[in-house]
Amino acid sequence: QLQASGGGLVQAGGSLRLSCAGSGGSARTFSNYYMAWFRQAPGKEREFVAAINWRGSNTNYADSVKGRFSISRDNAKNTVYLQMNSLKPDDTAVYYCAARYGTGRYPPSEESDYDWWGQGTLVTVSS
């Protein structure tokens, strides 16, 4: 089970850090999963934001967030994070964390690649 948190209302240019905690398994189990963040803005389809491999050694970002967002993980805490800086109104969306079993080098970025999803947390960026 994945539980996302940390969303809220922030002004443009501000920062937020999202967290996604995995439960129901050990830290060793959590470390066997790719983790990712997706988002869905009002009236739009869900889109990829960022992903990280099981060790945290490789990451992947959507072009729209490169240089502003950073994904990281703490396997000892069964948690993945999304640090969001220089936020823009276009970043307003419900953010979802997702997991897929795998210990390869490069994390996937397609929605269909992920099997488990959190409930989402709303991020609203005001202009």
Side-chain angles (χ1 to χ4, degrees):
Q1 186 176 2
L2 299 174
Q3 181 74 33
S5 62
L9 174 64
V10 63
Q11 288 188 332
S15 298
L16 278 176
R17 189 177 80 156
L18 306 183
S19 300
C20 176
S23 61
S26 66
R28 181 177 179 180
T29 301
F30 184 81
S31 68
N32 288 334
Y33 286 79
Y34 301 109
M35 299 298 296
W37 289 95
F38 291 78
R39 67 186 181 186
Q40 186 167 21
K44 296 186 177 181
E45 294 185 352
R46 189 154 56 184
E47 64 177 5
F48 170 75
V49 176
I52 190 167
N53 73 344
W54 65 283
R55 293 178 59 185
S57 58
N58 281 288
T59 56
N60 189 10
Y61 295 94
D63 288 344
S64 60
V65 306
K66 280 181 181 177
R68 300 188 298 122
F69 290 12
S70 178
I71 187 171
S72 61
R73 66 190 296 162
D74 186 338
N75 288 337
K77 295 182 178 180
N78 286 12
T79 301
V80 63
Y81 304 98
L82 184 68
Q83 178 66 44
M84 304 185 296
N85 299 326
S86 301
L87 282 161
K88 306 175 182 179
D90 285 349
D91 295 319
T92 294
V94 176
Y95 284 71
Y96 299 89
C97 59
R100 170 195 167 100
Y101 181 82
T103 57
R105 179 177 296 182
Y106 301 109
S109 59
E110 295 294 329
E111 183 176 346
S112 58
D113 290 326
Y114 289 85
D115 304 306
W116 289 274
W117 293 82
Q119 86 290 359
T121 184
L122 176 62
V123 172
T124 303
V125 184
S126 63
S127 57

